[in-house]
């Protein structure tokens, strides 16, 4: 592919910085627009900037900074977003402003006459599905609603069949599953995805939404207690504390290594088979949070061999299981996950071992508890 002028919003973040390096290595001219939020980057940012990448510290919501960042741009990767699921439930207005309004402002400028933009690729999320797909032994495949509080308080963690009430078995979730986000974060990710796809289609600008499953890998923001479970567990272990697992720890996710997310983005840019589509990016493998904690404990605290603390409580808005059906992205783009869990854990642990993260799990959880967002405590 010829060298492109690329804007990467949120390009100083965990995923964005990996993508920025990969694009620059391929000879593209990369410009990053990032607000450098201290919750993600710390007060003194420590993540090194990829060589050859132009950095603009600025806010997507600042029309002047955005226009400047868009000058001459041909391809946009839109990663700028506020990303804490729990936090989004008490900072709903802020999440909506940054994620939904920010995306609308970006697309308004992209759609303006004179824009040279050829493609927009937006970072979407599995959070827009809510619960994943399941099978009931009696009723067949079903898509259950969010689990009810009464059921959760009685310690029944698995969702019930909407038809007959029996416990369900998880299935891979494909893109046609009806969207049903269970957090404000999920609602804003859905609006980001839909805004980009709808405006792309209306203005004839190829647009792709990549629905990331649970991304992990080196460079994760270990001290950010609002981020994903792999980072939080690593940070606990490195501070000599046991991982804390909500529910019974058997909730299932699809943990996808950041390098595979980069692979998917590059393919979506280089090929046109994903244009105007929303595609899952995962591994297709379901892993429990308990297995994740076990794998990271073996690597980061082998001498203590600490058992995880099973909390038996649940976070409002959490889903039980969701893992990806990756048929679409395989078929359309030739994507294949390359880093599976054991190697991925090695990679994360090797990097995490030399970090000095702060463990803020207790503070962040206390905040959720005080707002009634951790139930059963
Ligand atoms: C959510 C989003 C996802 C986003 C990710 C990171 C949903 C359904 N998905 O994923 O799109 O990429 O956040 O922002 O909203 N857990 C523990 N102990 C911990 C932390 C988490 O047991 O210390 C549990 C949670 O209760 C949950 C599971 O681990 O059951 C995964 O949580 P998390 O990593 O926050 O991600 P998701 O909620 O799956």
């Amino acid at each position: 592919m010829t060298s492109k002028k690329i804007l990467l919003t949120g390009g100083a973040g965990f995923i964005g910085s990996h993508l920025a390096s990969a694009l620059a290595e391929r000879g593209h001219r990369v410009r990053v627009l990032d607000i450098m939020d201290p919750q993600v980057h710390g007060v003194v940012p420590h993540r090194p900037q990829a060589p050859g990448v132009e950095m603009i510290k600025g806010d997507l919501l600042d029309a002047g900074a955005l226009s400047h960042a868009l000058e001459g741009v041909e391809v946009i990767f839109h990663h700028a977003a506020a990303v804490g699921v729990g936090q989004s439930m008490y900072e709903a207005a802020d999440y909506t402003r940054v994620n939904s309004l920010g995306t609308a402002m970006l697309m308004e400028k992209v759609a303006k006459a004179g824009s040279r933009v050829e493609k927009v690729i937006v970072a979407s999320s599995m959070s827009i599905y809510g619960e994943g797909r399941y099978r009931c032994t009696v009723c067949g495949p079903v898509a259950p609603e969010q689990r009810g509080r009464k059921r959760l308080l009685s310690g029944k963690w698995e969702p019930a069949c909407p038809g007959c009430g029996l416990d369900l078995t998880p299935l891979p979730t494909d893109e046609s599953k009806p969207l049903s986000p269970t957090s404000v974060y999920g609602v804003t990710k859905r609006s980001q995805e839909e805004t980009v796809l709808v405006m792309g289609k209306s203005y004839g600008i190829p647009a792709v939404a990549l629905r990331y499953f649970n991304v992990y890998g080196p460079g994760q923001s270990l001290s950010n207690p609002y981020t994903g479970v792999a980072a939080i567990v690593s940070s606990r272990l490195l501070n000599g504390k046991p991982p804390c697992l909500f529910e019974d720890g058997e909730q299932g996710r699809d943990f996808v290594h950041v390098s595979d997310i980069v692979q998917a983005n590059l393919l979506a840019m280089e090929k046109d088979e994903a244009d105007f589509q929303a595609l899952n990016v995962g591994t297709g493998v379901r892993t429990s949070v308990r297995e994740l904690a076990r794998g990271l404990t073996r690597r980061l605290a082998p001498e203590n061999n600490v058992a995880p603390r099973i909390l038996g409580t649940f976070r409002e808005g959490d889903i039980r299981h969701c893992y990806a059906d990756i048929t679409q992205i395989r078929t359309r783009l030739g994507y294949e996950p390359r880093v599976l869990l054991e190697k991925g854990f090695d990679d994360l642990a090797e990097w995490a071992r030399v970090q000095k993260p702060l463990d803020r799990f207790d503070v962040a959880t206390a905040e959720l508890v005080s707002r009634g967002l951790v139930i059963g405590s």
Side-chain angles (χ1 to χ4, degrees), residues 15-200:
I15 300 172
S17 55
H18 283 272
L19 182 57
S21 305
L23 290 165
E25 272 166 27
R26 280 163 184 73
H28 298 294
R29 289 157 295 150
V30 185
R31 180 184 291 153
V32 162
L33 175 66
D34 199 299
I35 196 170
M36 304 298 291
D37 179 0
Q39 181 174 296
V40 177
H41 297 275
V43 184
V44 182
H46 55 276
R47 196 176 276 127
Q49 185 64 51
V53 172
E54 178 192 350
M55 172 76 194
I56 300 178
K57 183 175 180 222
D59 191 346
L60 188 65
L61 294 163
D62 170 347
L66 183 56
S67 296
H68 171 50
L70 277 167
E71 272 163 29
V73 163
E74 295 162 303
V75 177
I76 299 174
F77 291 92
H78 180 35
H79 277 72
V83 296
V85 173
Q87 195 178 37
S88 76
M89 303 299 268
Y90 59 90
E91 292 184 5
D94 225 40
Y95 270 70
T96 306
R97 199 174 57 82
V98 172
N99 296 357
S100 305
L101 179 62
T103 303
M105 284 181 63
L106 174 71
M107 290 310 291
E108 230 178 70
K109 290 210 185 287
V110 167
K112 274 224 169 94
S115 147
R116 292 174 55 192
V117 175
E118 298 163 5
K119 188 174 275 200
V120 184
I121 299 164
V122 59
S124 182
S125 159
M126 52 74 93
S127 65
I128 69 178
Y129 290 123
E131 280 295 345
R133 277 207 195 276
Y134 290 81
R135 178 186 301 284
C136 168
T137 45
V138 177
C139 307
V142 289
E145 284 301 305
Q146 187 172 7
R147 296 169 295 171
R149 215 172 250 218
K150 206 165 135 210
R151 185 172 172 88
L152 290 166
L153 282 170
S154 66
K156 288 188 175 146
W157 305 119
E158 300 300 333
C161 173
C164 69
L166 281 180
D167 273 8
L168 298 167
T169 313
L171 289 175
T173 296
D174 63 273
E175 291 83 352
S176 69
K177 192 214 154 235
L179 305 182
S180 183
T182 56
S183 65
V184 172
Y185 168 74
V187 170
T188 65
K189 277 281 146 189
R190 176 184 186 165
S191 94
Q192 285 194 312
E193 172 179 316
E194 290 179 342
T195 302
V196 170
L197 290 177
V198 164
M199 289 193 66

Side-chain angles (χ1 to χ4, degrees), residues 129-280:
Y129 290 123
E131 280 295 345
R133 277 207 195 276
Y134 290 81
R135 178 186 301 284
C136 168
T137 45
V138 177
C139 307
V142 289
E145 284 301 305
Q146 187 172 7
R147 296 169 295 171
R149 215 172 250 218
K150 206 165 135 210
R151 185 172 172 88
L152 290 166
L153 282 170
S154 66
K156 288 188 175 146
W157 305 119
E158 300 300 333
C161 173
C164 69
L166 281 180
D167 273 8
L168 298 167
T169 313
L171 289 175
T173 296
D174 63 273
E175 291 83 352
S176 69
K177 192 214 154 235
L179 305 182
S180 183
T182 56
S183 65
V184 172
Y185 168 74
V187 170
T188 65
K189 277 281 146 189
R190 176 184 186 165
S191 94
Q192 285 194 312
E193 172 179 316
E194 290 179 342
T195 302
V196 170
L197 290 177
V198 164
M199 289 193 66
K201 207 171 269 175
S202 307
Y203 288 90
I205 302 165
V208 185
L210 295 176
R211 294 178 178 166
Y212 302 161
F213 277 65
N214 294 63
V215 189
Y216 72 97
Q220 267 190 287
S221 191
L222 296 183
S223 301
N224 178 1
Y226 303 100
T227 185
V229 63
I232 297 170
V233 164
S234 301
S235 173
R236 296 276 300 172
L237 292 167
L238 291 167
N239 281 282
K241 296 185 192 154
C244 289
L245 308 186
F246 292 106
E247 306 181 21
D248 59 355
E250 295 300 337
Q251 54 274 47
R253 295 291 188 275
D254 187 334
F255 294 102
V256 51
H257 191 268
V258 65
S259 61
D260 285 323
I261 297 289
V262 169
Q263 181 200 159
N265 275 277
L266 296 175
L267 288 168
M269 173 173 77
E270 289 160 5
K271 299 188 172 191
D272 53 18
E273 284 84 349
D275 291 0
F276 306 110
Q277 304 295 317
L279 300 178
N280 287 341

Side-chain angles (χ1 to χ4, degrees), residues 268-310:
M269 173 173 77
E270 289 160 5
K271 299 188 172 191
D272 53 18
E273 284 84 349
D275 291 0
F276 306 110
Q277 304 295 317
L279 300 178
N280 287 341
V281 194
T283 63
V285 178
R286 177 166 63 102
T287 302
S288 72
V289 168
R290 209 188 268 255
E291 286 171 78
L292 169 110
R294 205 178 296 132
L296 291 174
T297 304
R298 263 206 315 273
R299 289 162 174 89
L300 291 174
E303 65 293 346
N304 311 342
N305 201 17
V306 280
R309 197 185 303 151
I310 304 297

